[in-house]
């Protein structure tokens, strides 16, 4: 399969009790022995997950994941079952439904797997009457589960009886299109890591979403390790590109074996974040011995990772013995525990981070003894910390579970208020398709609900009400600042950002101010921002004070006193002098020649006229020439010439100047 086109795979995951014939059935169907470990060969049981490829009669590709059935290895079963499209529950005819049969089926249900086929194996070991009894037992077992209508096929892996019927049934079920997504960012949980001599580090996993290509740069979370994909294999065949639902092996450059482990996740750089807390709706299995008490320790299984956590039950939120389609049918929940068969909203706080996405599925196991107790669906991967005094949690969860794309978008805007968001921010938070998010934003834009910040590149969006609120804050701050600093014409951008927009990135801040300036709400000049025109003339007592200062600068014309000297004459403090000088420079009345040396604007223009006239007559001007022309000292003449050089009026050649 070297073609660079999307060849969709269906993932079939086996499930069932130890020694019920899962591996032998897979071998009979595919010709592949999935017991790859030496210990598995010796003990005759599957310890870790194995993989086999099958091409169905229709031509569709199937990847079969063979998982261990032994109770001690259920965590490996969980690692293999995530991402499965069709469950293949294996029950031995000589044994019937056993403890791991029940636990594995519960796990498939908790992970949201919709399609299931039951294979009754080893029928060659029992008579027809016994086979019929076990078939009836299985149907009774499935009756109260999500798989009550699952088809059942009785097979023999030894003789091959009905194996072709089973394959045909899997082919029929696989005709339903997989919901694996090619568009979203790459995400591939790692289930194996090893090194090969002369090749380097290799990782394997099932590609959950997105695509991956040779030479692509990837990021490994949670360690944030950057690496390059040297080569790709799909079922031992080299390919230039891998697609969702395919079993993939990646040879990584720049990643050492001891830097990676099962549970890490390969992603597109900067496309996913890690989290230690998430909100979810959970269900406790009805046949567990006891319920779950608030804040008791649990084990979380997601993808190929396991971590310990505590689960905080959200007080005052609805729950019900069976999931309903409307929150109106739910009852108020104020208990300190979730009873078997009940559902509740919870906040899960972990000791190790996970790489999550909105509506991901996970499984809960008790801390000790370790048994599967339930599972759920993630609703918020970066929630605020739950506090009992909070009143908005019921409506919050209703939006997260049942909201439209626009409602989810508004939810995130309001949660992040007043920060601007990009379409990708919304896509990443809720796992939505980017095209749908952009269509929603365009509709909200045309309705006046949001505004755009920026043109070209990554556009940011802000609620119209949020922009109005920010404009009010900015104008109020500037007004107050100018009342307290009457000599200023505006506020420095940096001060405004620190006081009003401390959480904004530089780009968010710049785009927001550009929007306000573009709409005429603010005026900008250099680094200053104001709600009034910055070229206006200061009036009243402020003007009189500025003019007194300016008169003293002009008094000695070409040999002006320093600002500090003028301040002493007028009885002004150092800070007041600085503000006056800045105000006069900003309005153009003063020209800064060097530190502590300022000239009136009209005086500097007169100096330029004298220099221009002298050079036209003599071809050049020296420092001594200018000193004599202005009847001033060498100190002032030198400073003036250096200033004229700096502004491009003159150019120095050896010890004289010419006009530039």
């Amino acid at each position: 399969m070297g073609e660079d086109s999307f060849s969709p795979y269906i993932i079939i995951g086996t499930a069932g009790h130890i020694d019920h014939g899962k591996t032998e059935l897979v071998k009979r169907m595919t010709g592949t022995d999935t017991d790859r470990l030496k210990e598995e060969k010796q003990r005759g049981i599957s310890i870790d997950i194995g993989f086999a490829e099958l091409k169905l009669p229709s031509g569709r590709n199937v990847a079969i994941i063979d998982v261990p059935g032994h109770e001690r290895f259920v965590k490996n079963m969980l690692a293999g079952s995530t991402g499965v499209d069709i469950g293949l529950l294996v029950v031995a005819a000589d044994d019937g439904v056993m403890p791991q049969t029940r636990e594995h089926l519960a796990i498939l249900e908790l992970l949201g797997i919709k399609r299931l086929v039951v294979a009754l194996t080893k029928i060659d070991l029992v008579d027809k009457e016994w086979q019929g009894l076990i078939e009836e037992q299985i149907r009774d077992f499935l009756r109260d589960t999500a798989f009550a209508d699952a088809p059942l096929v009785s097979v023999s892996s030894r003789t091959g009886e009905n194996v072709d019927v089973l394959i045909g049934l899997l082919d029929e079920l696989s005709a339903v299109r997989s919901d694996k997504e090619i568009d979203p960012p790459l995400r591939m949980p790692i289930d194996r890591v090893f090194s090969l001599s002369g090749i380097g580090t290799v990782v394997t996993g099932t590609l959950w979403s997105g695509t991956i290509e040779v030479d692509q740069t990837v990021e490994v979370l949670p360690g944030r390790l950057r690496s390059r994909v040297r080569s790709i294999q799909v079922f031992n065949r080299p390919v230039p590109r891998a697609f969702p639902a395919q079993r993939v092996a990646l040879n990584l450059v720049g990643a050492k074996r001891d830097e990676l482990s099962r549970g890490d996740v390969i992603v597109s750089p900067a496309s996913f974040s890690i989290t230690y807390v998430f909100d979810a709706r959970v269900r406790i299995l009805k046949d567990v011995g006891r319920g779950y008490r608030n804040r008791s320790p649990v084990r979380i299984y997601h993808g190929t990772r396991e971590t310990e956590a505590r689960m905080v039950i959200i007080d005052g939120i609805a729950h019900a013995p069976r999931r309903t389609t409307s929150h109106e049918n739910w009852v108020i929940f104020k208990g300190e525990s979730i009873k078997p068969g009940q559902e509740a909203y919870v906040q899960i706080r972990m000791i190790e981070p996970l790489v999550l996405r909105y509506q991901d599925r996970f499984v809960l196991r008790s801390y000790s003894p370790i048994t599967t107790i339930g599972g759920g669906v993630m609703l918020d991967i970066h929630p605020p910390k739950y506090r009992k005094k909070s009143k908005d949690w019921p409506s919050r969860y209703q939006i997260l579970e049942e909201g439209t794309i626009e409602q989810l978008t508004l939810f995130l805007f309001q949660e992040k208020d007043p920060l601007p968001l990009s379409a990708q921010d919304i896509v990443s938070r809720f796992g939505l398709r980017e095209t749908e998010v952009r269509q929603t934003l365009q509709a909200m834009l045309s309705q006046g609900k949001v505004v755009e910040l920026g043109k070209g590149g990554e556009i940011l969006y802000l609620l119209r009400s949020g922009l109005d609120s920010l404009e009010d804050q900015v104008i109020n701050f500037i007004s107050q600042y100018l009342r307290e600093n009457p000599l200023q014409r505006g506020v420095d951008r940096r001060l405004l950002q620190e006081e009003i927009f401390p959480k904004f990135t530089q780009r968010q801040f710049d785009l927001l101010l550009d929007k306000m300036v573009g709409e005429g709400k603010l005026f900008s000049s250099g680094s200053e921002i104001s709600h009034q025109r910055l070229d206006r003339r200061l009036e009243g007592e402020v003007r009189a004070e500025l003019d007194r200062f300016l008169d003293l600068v002009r008094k000695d014309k070409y040999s002006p006193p320093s600002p500090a000297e003028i301040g002493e004459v007028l009885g002004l403090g150092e800070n007041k002098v600085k503000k006056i000088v800045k105000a006069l420079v900003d309005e153009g009345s003063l020209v800064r020649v060097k530190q502590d040396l300022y000239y009136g604007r009209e005086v500097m223009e007169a100096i330029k006229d004298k220099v221009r006239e002298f050079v036209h007559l003599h071809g050049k001007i020296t420092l001594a020439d200018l000193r004599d022309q202005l009847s001033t000292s060498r100190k002032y003449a030198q400073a003036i010439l250096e200033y004229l050089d700096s502004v491009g009026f003159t150019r120095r050649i050896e010890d004289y100047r010419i006009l530039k």
Side-chain angles (χ1 to χ4, degrees):
M1 189 193 64
E3 71 276 10
D4 187 17
S5 60
F6 185 22
S7 180
Y9 270 68
I10 300 296
I11 303 293
I12 296 176
T14 67
H17 196 73
I18 182 175
D19 201 29
H20 274 207
K22 296 186 295 297
T23 301
E24 282 302 312
L25 179 59
V26 172
K27 185 177 180 180
R28 184 76 190 200
M29 294 168 66
T30 67
T32 300
D33 185 353
T34 58
D35 279 350
R36 55 182 173 79
L37 300 179
K38 180 179 179 181
E39 187 179 357
E40 292 176 336
K41 299 292 187 185
Q42 292 173 342
R43 296 173 60 181
I45 64 172
S46 296
I47 296 173
D48 208 344
I49 47 182
F51 307 94
E53 184 183 25
L54 174 65
K55 186 173 284 292
L56 296 169
S58 64
R60 283 185 286 270
N61 298 307
V62 165
I64 299 181
I65 300 179
D66 182 24
V67 301
H70 196 288
E71 188 278 332
R72 287 173 52 199
F73 308 120
V74 169
K75 68 177 183 180
N76 289 340
M77 183 269 175
L78 283 160
S81 295
T82 50
V84 164
D85 297 296
I86 301 172
L88 178 59
L89 182 66
V90 177
V91 182
D94 62 343
D95 222 2
V97 174
M98 297 294 284
Q100 265 61 65
T101 312
R102 298 180 184 279
E103 185 170 18
H104 282 206
L105 188 76
I107 289 170
L108 295 178
E109 190 173 1
L110 291 168
L111 291 175
I113 295 167
K114 300 292 191 296
R115 290 169 280 175
L116 181 79
V117 176
V118 182
L120 180 62
T121 58
K122 303 187 180 184
I123 60 172
D124 54 293
L125 300 181
V126 301
D127 57 34
K128 291 296 182 183
E129 182 180 358
W130 183 261
Q131 177 183 326
L133 290 174
I134 298 300
E135 289 175 352
E136 189 61 33
Q137 180 200 37
I138 293 171
R139 291 191 178 96
D140 287 341
F141 163 57
L142 295 175
R143 187 163 289 120
D144 292 330
T145 73
F147 307 114
D149 298 324
L152 187 154
V153 182
S154 298
V155 301
S156 170
S157 300
R158 186 178 66 84
T159 67
E161 182 179 351
N162 287 338
V163 171
D164 57 339
V165 176
L166 176 61
I167 292 174
L169 184 57
L170 292 172
D171 199 0
E172 182 181 330
L173 288 177
S174 69
V176 179
R177 182 175 175 81
S178 170
D179 61 357
K180 303 296 190 304
E181 297 174 292
I182 193 171
D183 295 334
L186 161 70
R187 185 166 58 149
M188 188 188 92
I190 296 174
D191 52 45
R192 291 179 62 202
V193 183
F194 53 93
S195 295
L196 294 177
S197 178
I199 295 178
T201 302
V202 177
V203 300
T204 67
T206 301
L207 191 54
W208 275 11
S209 63
T211 61
I212 188 166
E213 301 178 357
V214 172
D215 289 329
Q216 181 175 336
T217 297
V218 297
E219 185 176 27
V220 186
L221 297 177
R224 303 192 185 283
L225 175 69
R226 291 289 179 102
S227 181
R228 180 176 62 83
V229 178
R230 175 183 285 149
S231 62
I232 304 173
Q233 287 192 356
V234 172
F235 281 108
N236 300 318
R237 291 188 294 271
V239 296
R241 190 181 187 197
F243 296 89
Q246 290 181 337
R247 282 294 309 168
V248 180
L250 304 176
N251 178 205
L252 299 179
V253 178
K256 298 179 181 178
R257 166 67 185 84
D258 58 4
E259 293 177 318
L260 307 173
S261 62
R262 173 185 282 192
D264 290 349
V265 184
I266 304 286
V267 300
S268 306
S271 60
F272 285 89
S273 60
I274 61 174
T275 183
Y276 286 85
V277 181
F278 67 89
D279 287 355
R281 173 173 49 82
V282 301
R283 176 167 64 90
I284 302 300
L285 297 176
K286 67 178 181 179
D287 55 356
V288 298
R290 54 186 173 83
Y292 171 84
R293 290 192 61 80
N294 191 31
R295 297 180 184 271
S296 296
V298 292
R299 299 175 189 271
I300 304 294
Y301 295 80
H302 172 264
T304 55
R305 183 173 289 275
E306 169 195 359
T307 184
E308 297 172 11
R310 288 192 183 271
M311 194 162 69
V312 179
I313 301 172
I314 306 299
D315 194 20
I317 305 297
H319 82 286
R322 294 181 70 105
R323 179 79 176 110
T324 61
T325 57
S326 172
H327 283 70
E328 295 176 359
N329 298 326
W330 288 36
V331 295
I332 298 301
F333 179 65
K334 292 187 177 180
E336 282 298 311
S337 68
I338 312 172
K339 296 181 176 63
Q342 288 185 336
E343 294 188 33
Y345 291 121
V346 299
Q347 184 162 99
I348 294 177
R349 301 168 184 173
M350 301 168 290
I351 64 172
E352 294 179 344
L354 292 179
V355 182
L356 306 179
R357 199 173 184 187
Y358 175 65
Q359 293 193 333
D360 276 355
R361 295 273 182 164
F362 64 96
V363 171
L364 291 169
R365 304 194 85 205
S366 55
Y367 188 76
S368 180
I370 304 176
T371 59
T372 301
I373 60 173
V377 59
M378 297 170 187
L379 300 177
D380 197 345
I381 60 174
H382 293 293
K385 186 175 181 179
Y386 168 67
R387 302 183 188 280
K388 282 185 174 289
K389 294 181 180 180
S390 302
K391 301 298 183 183
D392 62 340
W393 292 84
S395 58
R396 173 187 181 84
Y397 287 130
Q398 187 164 1
I399 291 172
L400 287 170
E401 282 217 82
E402 302 173 358
T404 63
I405 295 178
E406 180 172 335
Q407 288 172 327
L408 290 171
T409 299
L410 286 170
F411 171 87
L412 189 56
F413 271 121
Q414 290 160 358
E415 181 182 80
K416 296 295 184 181
D417 185 49
L419 293 177
L421 299 174
S422 67
Q424 191 56 49
D425 290 330
I426 302 165
V427 169
S428 299
R429 180 63 175 273
F430 298 118
L432 302 170
R433 292 185 180 277
E434 186 171 348
T435 52
E436 294 176 341
V437 170
R438 293 194 180 279
Q439 288 171 357
T440 299
L441 286 169
Q442 284 302 309
M444 295 173 70
L445 189 66
S446 64
Q447 295 163 7
K449 295 179 181 178
V450 299
V451 295
E452 280 185 334
L453 303 181
K455 297 293 182 184
E458 185 183 39
I459 303 296
L460 299 183
Y461 299 85
L462 188 65
L463 286 178
R464 178 78 251 184
S465 58
L467 178 63
D468 293 341
S469 175
L470 287 173
E471 287 174 349
D472 290 342
Q473 291 181 55
V474 169
I475 291 172
N476 290 338
F477 178 82
I478 293 174
S479 298
Q480 178 66 25
Y481 179 84
L482 294 182
R483 282 195 296 272
E484 296 172 357
N485 300 273
L487 294 174
Q488 300 296 106
R489 296 175 181 275
V491 178
D492 186 80
R493 291 175 70 101
R494 186 163 50 186
L495 175 63
L496 189 62
Q497 184 171 6
E498 291 172 353
E499 293 295 329
I500 306 296
F501 307 100
K503 294 183 179 180
F504 278 49
T505 65
Q506 190 62 52
R507 182 169 183 270
Q508 288 174 331
F509 174 72
D510 290 341
L511 289 180
L512 180 64
L513 282 200
D514 289 347
K515 178 73 173 178
M516 293 182 182
V517 170
E519 292 184 350
K521 305 292 180 60
L522 296 177
F523 298 90
S524 173
S525 177
S527 65
E528 285 193 316
I529 298 290
S530 179
H531 62 306
Q532 301 173 336
R533 296 190 65 85
L534 287 156
D535 58 357
R536 70 190 187 283
R537 181 176 174 82
L538 297 174
E539 303 293 345
E541 293 183 7
V542 173
R543 181 74 261 163
E545 192 170 38
L546 295 179
D547 289 342
R548 285 195 296 271
F549 193 97
L550 192 56
D551 287 342
L552 291 177
V553 174
R554 295 166 172 160
K555 184 176 181 182
D556 291 324
K557 202 167 184 179
Y558 302 126
S559 305
S562 69
E565 291 170 336
I566 297 174
E568 289 182 8
V569 172
L570 296 177
L572 303 174
E574 181 180 354
N575 287 338
K576 187 63 174 289
V577 168
K578 288 181 179 179
K579 291 179 180 179
I580 290 175
V581 169
K582 183 179 184 307
L584 290 170
V585 170
D586 288 344
E587 73 175 13
S589 298
L590 273 189
V591 176
R592 183 184 184 277
V593 172
K594 59 177 292 187
Q595 182 69 32
D596 292 331
L597 179 58
Y598 294 83
Y599 283 86
R601 177 175 49 80
E602 72 286 352
V603 174
M604 180 53 66
E605 292 303 316
I607 291 173
K608 288 180 178 179
D609 289 341
K610 287 180 176 291
V611 170
R612 186 183 296 109
E613 183 179 349
F614 191 92
V615 172
H616 284 162
L617 289 173
H618 303 284
K620 60 183 179 181
I621 188 170
T622 64
L623 189 152
D625 293 332
L626 183 61
R627 180 195 60 198
D628 294 341
Q629 285 292 307
L630 302 180
S631 300
T632 188
S633 68
R634 177 184 178 87
K635 178 184 78 170
Y636 291 105
Q638 182 173 342
I640 291 170
L641 284 177
E642 289 174 354
Y643 167 76
L644 294 178
D645 291 342
S646 70
V647 297
F649 185 77
T650 57
R651 180 161 63 92
R652 180 174 181 173
I653 301 176
E654 296 179 350
D655 61 349
Y656 61 88
R657 266 82 172 177
I658 62 173
L659 297 179
K660 196 167 182 178

